[in-house]
């Protein structure tokens, strides 16, 4: 399915060839990306070493550490979305296509 999305995107005209794609509201998705009110119902799998996994759980459970490792990952993904806006927009367009089906 991802290949079909990529193929469809390749068939899209360049931004200066068409003004129809300019109405896509990326800011709406950026606002929802790491929102506290948005439900956290999806997970992202990241392979880590046994040592990293143990450290992650220790960070979660340590009372003296004021950090939420899961939130830190979400924050980093949000920063990456701002740093790579074209990639983020492509992901949100694919999400809209998935939601239509």
């Amino acid at each position: 399915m991802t290949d079909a999305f990529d193929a469809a995107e390749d068939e899209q005209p360049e931004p200066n060839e068409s003004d129809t794609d300019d109405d896509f509201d990326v800011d709406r998705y950026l606002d929802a990306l790491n929102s506290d009110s948005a439900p956290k119902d999806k997970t992202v799998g990241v392979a880590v070493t046994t040592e990293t996994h143990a450290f992650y759980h220790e960070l979660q459970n340590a009372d003296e550490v004021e950090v939420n490792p899961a939130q830190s990952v979400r924050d980093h993904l949000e920063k990456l979305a701002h740093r790579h806006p074209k990639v983020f927009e492509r992901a949100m367009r694919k999400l809209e296509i998935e939601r239509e089906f």
Side-chain angles (χ1 to χ4, degrees):
M1 188 172 211
T2 302
D3 292 338
F5 290 145
D6 292 337
E9 180 182 306
D10 290 341
E11 294 172 6
Q12 295 291 325
E14 291 298 318
N16 56 0
E17 293 177 18
S18 171
D19 294 330
T20 58
D21 288 342
D22 292 339
D23 61 348
F24 190 80
D25 187 10
V26 175
D27 291 331
R28 177 179 78 137
Y29 290 99
L30 284 171
D31 292 342
L33 184 64
N34 198 12
S35 169
D36 289 335
S37 62
K40 308 295 188 283
D41 58 354
K42 300 287 184 185
T43 59
V44 177
V46 178
V48 295
T49 64
T50 302
E51 293 80 5
T52 303
H53 190 257
F55 178 55
Y56 178 90
H57 282 288
E58 196 62 29
L59 281 173
Q60 279 186 312
N61 297 330
D63 292 335
E64 69 275 11
V65 176
E66 295 181 13
V67 67
N68 179 340
Q71 187 61 46
S72 294
V73 171
R74 287 188 208 101
D75 292 342
H76 187 65
L77 288 172
E78 184 173 8
K79 288 176 188 174
L80 288 172
H82 286 282
R83 194 175 306 153
H84 303 284
K86 290 182 180 178
V87 176
F88 180 69
E89 181 177 349
R90 185 170 58 234
M92 296 306 98
R93 287 179 183 271
K94 288 179 181 180
L95 178 62
E96 281 298 311
I97 292 170
E98 288 177 7
R99 286 178 173 169
E100 288 178 15
F101 289 106

